[in-house]
Amino acid sequence: MSENAIAMERTRPNIDLTDHAVTLVIVCLVGLVMNTVGPAIPLADGFVGMVVIYLITMVGLLLTRFAPFYLPSVAWISLVGILATLPWTPGSEWIVAQAKSVNFLALATPALAYAGFAIAKKEIEVAKHSGWKLALVACLVFLGTYAGSVLVAELILRLQGA
Amino acid sequence: MNALRGQLELWRLHLAVIVLGAIAELIGIQKIPLGIGAILLLPLLYAFVMAALMNPNVMPKFGKFIRQKEVAAASPLIVIAIMPFIAKFGTTIGPAIETIIAAGPALLLQELGNLGTIVLAFPLAVWGLKMGREAIGATFSIAREPNLAIIADRYTLKSPEGTGVMGVYVIGTLFGTFIFAILASLFASADVFDPRALAMACGIGSGSMMAACTGALTEVIPSMKDEILALAGASNLLTYATGLYAGLFIALPIVEKLYNATAGKNDIATANKKEA
């Protein structure tokens, strides 16, 4: 998994758009089930919302594939989502209203389920081999990174008096 | 239609995700009260744990329904499953563009706060635990994919530095969502910090870390849900843009210099003794 991720990070992947389009339909349908079961959003509303999310994702993937410069797909998808919902974009109010029918945590649930199924032998070995020292260091890495960001943001917000 | 056939052949995997995901959603968000605050348990955490328990690599005895074939197929599916989630986050940023611009300076500069890992983790690794050059790879960043690429490029992943970054990467993959849910719960219930600062800091890691972090935050401060999602999403997007460069040009050089100036001297001394 990590090796693939590194390769993706550095070169423009030749993404197969048909393949992604089909897989995304399945992933969105799975997400729609979560959206209906957990946050109890009416299926019809959630469906339209999910279609909107699907289209934003696909436009992002098209840009990843064909834009004159390379950005990771997640960055393109995020940018398309932003542009589609800016107040001065025509029709953005409608898009925002539809997207509200999709719960963000419900979309994360299937992603984490796939992640649980994807744990490879090698990852278990690395975790065991690294031992408690590296685990302890990792916890402090996360704490330090989070706390550092909070403190800097807090300081600047206070200086701004906002 | 090969793509469709390929996915339908993975019906076991998708079915298992639907069933476990639905169970996780039905359990819903649970609060565990602690002295200082509360820790929030989110459906995404249960989904991950239940899926891991069905994974033949984690629980070899249960490896009947989910086989190595499904395990191999699940890895690229994580990337695709996170895409709609990222799109949803994008749609929370657009309407809040004024909030984002108002918070612009804080949003940009909090990226430097990521260096906090050096302040906390490096001393523990080098002086507390007496780690060697693994400490360089382990403590210079939050160890997501761009940072792996930096170490792979400079030292290779088989070097001590590579062992360090891989260790933190794997622990982040396995436990990152839990750690971030706990961090955000505790920071938010401490009621000291501006929720906007807590939200921005949620964007420093991977998509699933952001999900866990913002999930916990919005549960503690539901009145600011829209703002929290928008700021976290904007911060995460910035991390994609700046993370690689901040790691390569700021964090890694600092950690290397620190290491060479302190523990590295001992390494050289021991090496000289051996030669003599």
Side-chain angles (χ1 to χ4, degrees):
Chain A
M1 173 179 156
S2 53
E3 252 93 305
N4 290 342
I6 293 167
M8 272 176 58
E9 203 60 49
R10 301 166 99 189
T11 52
R12 183 198 288 248
N14 219 350
I15 44 173
D16 183 337
L17 284 172
T18 348
D19 201 68
H20 274 67
V22 172
T23 312
L24 263 176
V25 170
I26 294 175
V27 164
C28 283
L29 286 175
V30 175
L32 187 58
V33 175
M34 304 306 139
N35 201 49
T36 319
V37 173
I41 295 164
L43 183 61
D45 297 352
F47 179 78
V48 181
M50 202 59 93
V51 171
V52 168
I53 296 291
Y54 178 85
L55 292 175
I56 291 172
T57 312
M58 279 312 294
V59 175
L61 286 175
L62 281 168
L63 285 166
T64 313
R65 180 83 169 74
F66 296 112
F69 55 94
Y70 173 69
L71 281 179
S73 55
V74 276
W76 275 122
I77 293 165
S78 188
L79 286 172
V80 173
I82 296 171
L83 286 176
T85 52
L86 285 173
W88 42 86
T89 303
S92 67
E93 270 172 41
W94 185 83
I95 296 176
V96 172
Q98 304 316 315
K100 279 218 158 97
S101 308
V102 178
N103 180 285
F104 77 102
L105 274 180
L107 288 182
T109 302
L112 266 295
Y114 286 115
F117 286 128
I119 299 171
K121 273 205 185 86
K122 200 182 154 209
E123 283 171 312
I124 306 253
E125 277 161 23
V126 171
K128 276 187 185 158
H129 178 76
S130 305
W132 64 272
K133 280 189 181 181
L134 220 47
L136 195 60
V137 170
C139 287
L140 281 195
V141 166
F142 294 126
L143 173 64
T145 312
Y146 187 74
S149 284
V150 171
L151 290 176
V152 174
E154 179 79 24
L155 180 73
I156 308 290
L157 286 173
R158 288 204 183 166
L159 286 177
Q160 277 186 308
Chain B
M1 283 293 94
N2 283 336
L4 184 60
R5 198 178 305 139
Q7 289 305 318
L8 290 179
E9 277 172 14
L10 295 171
W11 64 269
R12 285 164 182 259
L13 179 62
H14 297 298
L15 180 71
V17 168
I18 291 175
V19 172
L20 297 187
I23 294 172
E25 288 291 336
L26 285 173
I27 300 171
I29 299 171
Q30 303 291 332
K31 271 185 199 176
I32 303 179
L34 282 180
I36 12 166
I39 288 178
L40 288 156
L41 298 179
L42 305 167
L44 58 98
L45 301 178
Y46 324 138
F48 181 74
V49 171
M50 288 190 287
L53 291 177
M54 276 181 79
N55 183 316
N57 294 322
V58 182
M59 292 278 160
K61 281 180 195 158
F62 297 160
K64 300 243 161 67
F65 188 70
I66 297 295
R67 303 157 301 179
Q68 291 301 338
K69 178 190 167 191
E70 277 81 19
V71 170
S75 193
L77 275 165
I78 310 169
V79 185
I80 297 185
I82 212 76
M83 287 174 180
F85 170 83
I86 297 289
K88 162 69 191 177
F89 256 87
T91 66
T92 67
I93 300 175
I97 194 71
E98 280 173 23
T99 312
I100 305 277
I101 293 170
L107 204 45
L108 282 173
L109 288 168
Q110 57 85 28
E111 292 284 321
L112 290 177
N114 295 1
L115 299 175
T117 168
I118 304 175
V119 180
L120 269 189
F122 184 83
L124 173 88
V126 173
W127 294 302
L129 302 172
K130 310 274 178 219
M131 278 167 76
R133 298 189 67 87
E134 287 86 357
I136 296 177
T139 65
F140 89 104
S141 76
I142 192 159
R144 291 295 90 204
E145 283 81 359
N147 308 308
L148 278 187
I150 293 173
I151 294 290
D153 205 45
R154 199 174 168 94
Y155 297 106
T156 78
L157 289 178
K158 295 206 161 59
S159 63
E161 293 85 351
T163 308
V165 77
M166 274 308 288
V168 179
Y169 174 79
V170 169
I171 287 161
T173 305
L174 296 180
F175 306 111
T177 44
F178 298 88
I179 299 171
F180 269 84
I182 293 169
L183 279 178
S185 309
L186 295 180
F187 271 76
S189 36
D191 207 18
V192 180
F193 300 101
D194 191 322
R196 289 174 300 167
L198 299 176
M200 288 179 213
C202 281
I204 54 180
S206 66
S208 41
M209 290 172 183
M210 175 168 70
C213 189
T214 48
L217 275 190
T218 52
E219 192 61 23
V220 181
I221 318 156
S223 59
M224 289 186 69
K225 185 178 176 190
D226 290 349
E227 243 181 320
I228 288 169
L229 295 191
L231 287 168
S235 157
N236 196 234
L237 183 58
L238 261 181
T239 303
Y240 288 123
T242 62
L244 183 72
Y245 303 101
L248 186 58
F249 295 118
I250 305 174
L252 189 56
I254 292 179
V255 172
E256 281 172 343
K257 286 219 170 69
L258 272 176
Y259 186 86
N260 290 336
T262 55
K265 279 189 181 155
N266 299 336
D267 286 359
I268 295 165
T270 352
N272 286 345
K273 252 186 217 160
K274 271 183 195 159
E275 272 177 35

